[in-house]
Amino acid sequence: MGDFYFVGQQIIDAKSREVREVELLLRATNKVGFPEQEFHNLLNSSLKQYQAYLKDLNNELMYLWDKYPTCQFSLNFTQQELEFPVLLTYLKSINTNMRARMMIEITEQAPNKKYTEYSDNINVSMFKKIHDLGYKIALNDIMQGNNSLGNFMLVRPYISRIKWSFTNGGHYLNQQQIYWIIKLLRSLTCEKGISLVVEGVEEEMISYWLLTMNVHQQQGFLFAKPAKL
């Protein structure tokens, strides 16, 4: 993948401490954290360069699927990538059995450039197409950026999971405000067969508090830091 590579961070059932899934997080050589500028440059480069990235991505996924045959993975795509027809072509090329082991996680940044016309603020039609291919879809950082509650309601029929982050969403909120946000998110998901993951969990007390609200799926440094696979 050139200068790019993946690290993995576990999603845990905080009650049983069972690993439910591993989220694949993009990193770049000589860069700490997500390589925002480098990835932005890739998305604004030529179609040929993005196709080369998808080819390398596919090789990496094949390696991980073989190395960890029982593991479920989640993989992030931006809403800008949803605008690229070549992404849908790539997702169609993946073996059906492998699709069942993938959660497509859509990040919160709105696309800088639209390649198809649609009236809503989010590309509902692309969510439907990915869902119809048999993929499970997660909405990352709900209530942040373009992953607002309003946009969530538009794509909810195609969503299997939402993620809310203490790091991005809870930094400036008090405990009561967070409590009501979690209650709201559960009310929007639990009867629809949509799971809720809270990420950014770094303290045992917070994990226990989430368990009292029946939020079992958790992610954060308390359980595991991102690590090379």
Side-chain angles (χ1 to χ4, degrees):
M1 296 175 63
D3 289 335
F4 294 125
Y5 64 94
F6 283 125
V7 294
Q9 187 176 26
Q10 297 170 349
I11 297 171
I12 300 287
D13 183 319
K15 187 173 183 179
S16 66
R17 295 299 169 114
E18 174 189 354
V19 178
R20 301 299 300 272
E21 197 170 299
V22 174
E23 181 181 1
L24 299 176
L25 302 168
L26 194 67
R27 295 292 183 263
T29 345
N30 303 320
K31 180 85 176 181
V32 177
F34 177 70
E36 186 171 354
Q37 187 58 54
E38 291 82 353
F39 195 67
H40 175 79
N41 292 344
L42 171 68
L43 296 185
N44 286 278
S45 64
S46 68
L47 174 63
K48 186 175 180 181
Q49 284 178 290
Y50 185 68
Q51 285 177 312
Y53 165 77
L54 287 179
K55 183 178 179 181
D56 289 344
L57 168 67
N58 187 66
N59 291 337
E60 183 71 11
L61 287 176
M62 294 298 291
Y63 166 75
L64 292 172
W65 282 327
D66 287 342
K67 186 175 181 181
Y68 305 102
T70 62
C71 190
Q72 301 281 324
F73 293 103
S74 60
L75 180 63
N76 292 287
F77 289 100
T78 67
Q79 293 187 37
Q80 184 62 67
E81 289 175 275
L82 296 186
E83 297 295 311
F84 301 156
V86 67
L87 175 62
L88 190 65
T89 303
Y90 166 65
L91 293 176
K92 286 178 180 177
S93 74
I94 293 178
N95 180 283
T96 308
N97 294 332
M98 297 307 174
R99 295 179 199 179
R101 295 178 57 192
M102 284 180 68
M103 177 78 73
I104 303 295
E105 195 164 314
I106 307 300
T107 60
E108 71 277 11
Q109 299 88 357
N112 294 320
K113 184 177 181 181
K114 293 182 179 180
Y115 291 88
T116 51
E117 289 297 323
Y118 48 90
S119 56
D120 298 311
N121 291 327
I122 196 165
N123 194 341
V124 178
S125 132
M126 190 62 166
F127 278 79
K128 182 180 186 302
K129 288 174 183 176
I130 294 172
H131 173 269
D132 289 349
L133 288 174
Y135 290 99
K136 299 184 291 292
I137 305 175
L139 209 58
N140 190 41
D141 280 340
I142 188 80
M143 303 177 73
Q144 297 291 309
N146 210 41
N147 288 348
S148 63
L149 288 179
N151 283 343
F152 164 62
M153 297 304 288
L154 293 174
V155 298
R156 185 166 69 166
Y158 316 116
I159 298 296
S160 296
R161 170 190 293 161
I162 60 172
K163 295 180 79 175
W164 185 82
S165 170
F166 266 102
T167 307
N168 294 332
H171 253 356
Y172 304 106
L173 302 176
N174 61 41
Q175 185 172 341
Q176 186 177 32
Q177 290 170 320
I178 293 172
Y179 170 82
W180 286 112
I181 285 173
I182 300 296
K183 292 282 283 185
L184 171 64
L185 295 178
R186 279 188 51 74
S187 73
L188 292 172
T189 56
C190 61
E191 293 182 1
K192 300 291 182 180
I194 301 172
S195 63
L196 169 63
V197 173
V198 172
E199 55 184 343
V201 179
E202 298 183 359
E203 300 174 22
E204 195 72 53
M205 181 179 68
I206 289 175
S207 176
Y208 177 76
W209 181 62
L210 289 169
L211 283 174
T212 66
M213 291 189 286
N214 288 319
V215 179
H216 288 206
Q217 293 190 53
Q218 301 176 23
Q219 184 178 13
F221 285 8
L222 175 64
F223 310 107
K225 294 182 179 182
K228 285 190 176 182
L229 296 160

